């Protein structure tokens, strides 16, 4: 080429503009650059060697190919960035659920401790304690699963960041290659000498097939990591949904068991209160009966003493006046009847006193049962209140995460997660 030909270096676009422009426009621009170079030499095309024309065509084709691969690498970087954002948001979601489960696990341990305070008598065939232990174990397993999944998410994020660094390095290398290729197509007449000393610089050549294989493998590796991470997030959402539903069912079983236990204790307390009132009424009746029998015995004793005194007086009559007359027979019969009546009332009084002692003993036993029942019900109510003091929030976006969505909005991280 002649020295009087003045060619200007085309303005290089930024990364975003290079990604946004279509490869066809770049190809047309490079062909136009080649045509300007040839036309500026005049109509005598024979002065341009055929090798030179082939070199310009190869340079233009190479420029177009590298630009296309650079655009694809840029697209892969954008996809990796979106996937990293989605993984981080899923990690934040899992960490929030993990923190919630840690608090809930401590609450379950407190509930089990309260239920264990009832002793062996209260724990015998206790469904509430069994359900609380099941819920505690389920919460612990849920927490361990979340910890493992968070570790996997961190590994996925590390892999994505690693492939992003490789893509970004390749993107920059291709940008530098495009600049150098453009300089070969449109050389700068003011700086024709090479910036690399020919005596010291030994280029490390890579075959074209190796370069093309590297580009394809790098993009395929990024696609595989993105697909694997997306599939893992979907499986994690499904796992979270199943675990939350399982724990919610177990929590409802525990609530039902607590409600049933408190209802049973309330009915038992009502029954014990009714029985206590019955025993108290029985004690009152026995006390009145004993008082009546005692009064009757006292009355018989008084009449017997009077009849005995009268007989003693009649027995003091002198000589023939002490005869078996009607008054003597009457007092003797009265004394005998009174003695028989008193003898019959004494066993009744003893039996009444014995029944009264038994009734008092039953009342003491019943009072002890009632006190234990009240204490048991207070413990159950306290356990129920503690269990209901923290209700895990149901995340509907997670519960319905397995619902298919065919058009996620990439501009919103939340919708992209869903």
């Amino acid at each position: 080429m002649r020295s009087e030909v003045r060619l200007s270096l085309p303005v290089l676009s930024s990364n975003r503009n290079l990604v946004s422009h279509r490869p066809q426009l770049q190809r047309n621009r490079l062909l136009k650059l080649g045509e300007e170079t040839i036309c500026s030499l005049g109509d005598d095309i024979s002065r341009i060697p055929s090798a030179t024309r082939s070199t310009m065509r190869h340079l233009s084709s190479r420029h177009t190919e590298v630009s296309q691969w650079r655009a694809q690498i840029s697209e892969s970087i954008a996809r990796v960035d979106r996937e990293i954002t989605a993984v981080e948001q899923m990690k934040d979601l899992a960490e929030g659920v993990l923190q919630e489960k840690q608090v809930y696990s401590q609450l379950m341990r407190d509930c089990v401790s309260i239920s264990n305070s009832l002793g062996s008598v209260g724990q015998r065939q206790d469904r509430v304690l069994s359900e609380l232990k099941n819920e505690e174990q389920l919460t612990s397993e849920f927490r361990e699963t979340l910890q493992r999944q968070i570790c996997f998410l961190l590994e996925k994020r590390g892999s994505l960041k690693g492939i992003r660094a490789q893509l970004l390095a390749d993107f920059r290398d291709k940008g530098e290659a495009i600049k150098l290729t453009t300089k070969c197509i449109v050389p700068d007449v003011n700086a024709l000498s090479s910036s690399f000393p020919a005596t010291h610089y030994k280029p490390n050549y890579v075959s074209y097939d190796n370069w093309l294989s590297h580009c394809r493998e790098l993009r395929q590796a990024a696609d595989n990591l993105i697909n694997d991470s997306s599939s893992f997030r979907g499986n994690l959402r499904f796992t979270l949904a199943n675990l939350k539903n399982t724990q919610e069912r177990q929590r409802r079983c525990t609530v039902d068991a607590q409600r049933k236990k408190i209802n049973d204790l309330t009915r038992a307390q009502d029954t014990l209160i009714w029985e206590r009132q019955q025993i108290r009424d029985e004690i009152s009746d026995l006390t009145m009966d004993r008082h009546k029998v005692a009064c009757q015995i006292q009355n018989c004793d008084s009449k017997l003493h009077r009849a005995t005194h009268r007989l003693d007086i009649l027995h003091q009559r002198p000589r023939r006046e002490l005869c078996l007359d009607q008054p003597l027979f009457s007092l003797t019969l009265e004394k005998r009847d009174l003695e028989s009546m008193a003898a019959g009332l004494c066993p009744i009084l003893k039996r009444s006193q014995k029944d009264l002692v038994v009734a008092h003993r039953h009342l003491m036993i019943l009072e002890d049962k009632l006190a234990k029942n009240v204490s048991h019900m207070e413990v159950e109510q306290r356990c129920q209140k503690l269990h209901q003091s923290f209700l895990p929030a149901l995340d509907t976006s997670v519960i319905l995460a397995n619902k298919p969505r065919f058009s996620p909005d990439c501009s919103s991280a939340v919708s992209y997660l869903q």
Side-chain angles (χ1 to χ4, degrees):
M1 292 185 292
R2 293 177 300 177
S3 60
E4 63 269 11
V5 178
R6 297 179 61 87
L7 300 175
S8 59
L9 185 66
V11 180
L12 295 177
S13 59
S14 61
N15 296 341
R16 296 182 180 178
N17 293 330
L18 192 56
V19 174
S20 60
H21 284 117
R22 296 181 179 178
Q24 184 64 34
L25 295 178
Q26 295 174 351
R27 185 182 298 107
N28 294 336
R29 183 185 300 175
L30 292 174
L31 293 176
K32 185 177 181 181
L33 288 174
E35 292 175 358
E36 290 178 354
T37 303
I38 296 175
C39 293
S40 62
L41 296 176
D43 296 333
D44 192 2
I45 306 299
S46 61
R47 287 184 298 169
I48 302 178
S50 60
T52 302
R53 294 196 296 270
S54 299
T55 300
M56 296 301 296
R57 185 171 62 254
H58 291 325
L59 286 173
S60 300
S61 176
R62 180 62 176 170
H63 188 286
T64 302
E65 184 180 14
V66 174
S67 299
Q68 290 176 351
W69 273 109
R70 189 167 184 258
Q72 295 180 13
I73 295 298
S74 177
E75 181 184 356
S76 297
I77 291 174
R79 290 183 59 200
V80 170
D81 287 337
R82 289 196 297 269
E83 185 62 27
I84 289 175
T85 302
V87 169
E88 289 179 347
Q89 293 202 0
M90 178 59 71
K91 182 181 71 70
D92 294 339
L93 174 63
E95 288 177 348
V97 177
L98 176 62
Q99 184 178 4
E100 175 186 297
K101 295 310 168 187
Q102 288 175 348
V103 176
Y104 198 68
S105 179
Q106 181 62 40
L107 184 140
M108 287 295 101
R109 286 194 292 270
D110 295 339
C111 290
V112 172
S113 177
I114 291 174
S115 296
N116 285 330
S117 64
L118 295 173
S120 59
V121 178
Q123 295 177 8
R124 194 176 303 161
Q125 296 180 352
D126 190 359
R127 184 192 165 197
V128 174
L129 182 60
S130 176
E131 296 293 346
L132 285 173
K133 289 183 177 180
N134 291 337
E135 190 170 0
E136 180 187 11
Q137 182 180 1
L138 186 63
T139 304
S140 179
E141 293 175 356
F142 196 170
R143 190 176 68 251
E144 293 175 358
T145 302
L146 279 175
Q147 290 175 350
R148 290 195 300 269
Q149 298 301 321
I150 289 173
C151 292
F152 291 151
L153 282 173
L154 292 175
E155 293 178 1
K156 300 294 182 185
R157 186 183 64 177
S159 300
L160 288 170
K161 286 185 177 181
I163 198 65
R164 185 187 185 279
Q166 297 180 26
L167 289 170
L168 186 60
D170 191 75
F171 178 81
R172 291 171 179 172
D173 291 344
K174 283 180 170 51
E176 187 66 22
I178 291 173
K179 291 180 182 179
L180 296 175
T181 304
T182 305
K183 287 183 180 180
C184 291
I185 296 174
V186 186
D188 189 359
V189 295
N190 297 325
L192 295 177
S193 61
S194 175
S195 60
F196 302 101
T199 57
H200 300 287
Y201 179 70
K202 293 182 178 181
N204 187 12
Y205 292 109
V206 177
S207 65
Y208 175 78
D209 293 337
N210 191 1
W211 174 85
L212 186 61
S213 175
H214 170 73
C215 294
R216 291 174 178 174
E217 289 177 357
L218 184 61
R219 194 165 189 268
Q220 186 64 37
D223 293 340
N224 292 337
L225 287 176
I226 291 172
N227 295 333
D228 181 66
S229 176
S230 178
S231 176
F232 178 78
R233 287 189 297 104
N235 294 334
L236 179 56
R237 288 195 300 266
F238 183 75
T239 302
L240 286 177
N242 286 339
L243 289 175
K244 282 196 172 186
N245 291 334
T246 303
Q247 190 174 27
E248 178 63 18
R249 287 194 298 270
Q250 180 59 46
R251 189 189 68 82
R252 290 180 180 178
C253 290
T254 305
V255 170
D256 293 339
Q258 287 178 335
R259 187 184 298 111
K260 184 177 183 301
K261 185 67 174 294
I262 291 176
N263 290 337
D264 293 342
L265 291 173
T266 302
R267 287 196 298 269
Q269 184 179 7
D270 295 338
T271 303
L272 290 174
I273 291 175
W274 179 82
E275 290 180 358
R276 183 181 62 178
Q277 185 62 37
Q278 294 296 317
I279 294 177
R280 285 178 177 177
D281 294 340
E282 183 181 359
I283 290 174
S284 178
D285 295 339
L286 289 174
T287 303
M288 292 179 61
D289 294 341
R290 188 189 64 172
H291 180 69
K292 290 179 180 180
V293 172
C295 291
Q296 290 178 0
I297 291 175
Q298 185 179 2
N299 189 19
C300 287
D301 291 340
S302 176
K303 291 180 179 181
L304 182 60
H305 178 71
R306 215 170 27 246
T308 303
H309 181 68
R310 288 175 180 175
L311 281 175
D312 291 340
I313 293 175
L314 289 178
H315 287 161
Q316 293 177 5
R317 289 181 295 179
R319 293 183 287 276
R320 291 187 178 273
E321 294 298 326
L322 186 60
C323 65
L324 296 176
D325 53 2
Q326 191 66 32
L328 184 62
F329 282 119
S330 178
L331 286 174
T332 302
L333 292 175
E334 182 180 356
K335 179 182 177 182
R336 188 181 300 170
D337 292 338
L338 290 173
E339 288 176 350
S340 299
M341 187 180 296
L345 289 174
C346 287
I348 295 175
L349 181 61
K350 290 181 180 180
R351 188 167 57 252
S352 178
Q353 289 177 349
K354 184 179 180 180
D355 293 340
L356 190 60
V357 171
V358 172
H360 278 291
R361 189 180 297 115
H362 288 169
L363 182 61
M364 291 178 60
I365 296 173
L366 195 61
E367 290 286 355
D368 184 63
K369 288 183 179 180
L370 188 59
K372 289 181 180 180
N373 188 80
V374 171
S375 177
H376 193 177
M377 187 166 61
E378 288 177 355
V379 171
E380 292 293 341
Q381 288 176 346
R382 187 163 48 129
C383 182
Q384 183 188 38
K385 184 177 180 180
L386 180 62
H387 184 263
Q388 294 179 352
S389 62
F390 181 81
L391 294 178
L394 293 177
D395 190 355
T396 56
S397 63
V398 175
I399 295 297
L400 303 178
N402 51 357
K403 181 178 180 181
R405 295 177 180 268
F406 299 100
S407 58
D409 186 7
C410 296
S411 62
S412 176
V414 177
S415 61
Y416 184 74
L417 271 174
Q418 294 176 348

